[in-house]
Amino acid sequence: RPCARLKGAPWAGVVAARAATTVRPPVRPEDAWVEVVDPHGSGRKYWWNKVTNETTPLDAPRPGSAMAKLKAFKDEVARDIHRKQRTRFIVGDGGYYGGGFGGGGD
């Protein structure tokens, strides 16, 4: 019986202690982000993911937070508006000539 031999062995405690220190529970994604102070002395902070080694820009909200989701939504809306406005242009006669929305001014 291998278990009986392991219990009585003088090295059994060392093996069990090593196994306990090397086995770590998986890191939850929301726990992987650590706030870090800018090492260049600006005093500003950024976020570092200790699992993937990703970083955020300085002063960015914590990834996955409500503020980060709100900022991503606002950025997407701004990009969408910008894309739509790029297709419109007005020529000197005041007419509208542009991408796919119909005629121009006569």
Side-chain angles (χ1 to χ4, degrees):
R1 297 190 318 198
C3 292
R5 279 190 281 158
L6 182 63
K7 282 185 179 178
W11 45 266
V14 174
V15 171
R18 281 190 185 160
T21 59
T22 57
V23 176
R24 295 184 183 143
V27 177
R28 295 187 318 213
E30 61 271 9
D31 292 339
W33 291 99
V34 178
E35 191 174 38
V36 181
V37 178
D38 180 20
H40 298 289
S42 71
R44 298 165 62 193
K45 297 178 182 176
Y46 66 94
W47 293 91
W48 167 63
N49 187 310
K50 57 187 173 184
V51 175
T52 63
N53 206 29
E54 294 174 274
T55 58
T56 65
L58 290 171
D59 299 326
R62 179 186 178 117
S65 69
M67 287 302 294
K69 291 176 184 175
L70 177 63
K71 183 178 180 335
F73 173 73
K74 288 171 60 178
D75 290 347
E76 181 58 33
V77 169
R79 278 191 295 273
D80 187 47
I81 290 170
H82 179 70
R83 268 193 301 270
K84 288 179 181 176
Q85 287 179 345
R86 283 192 326 192
T87 59
R88 297 182 200 149
F89 57 94
I90 297 176
V91 180
D93 65 357
Y96 165 75
Y97 306 90
F101 291 114
D106 282 356

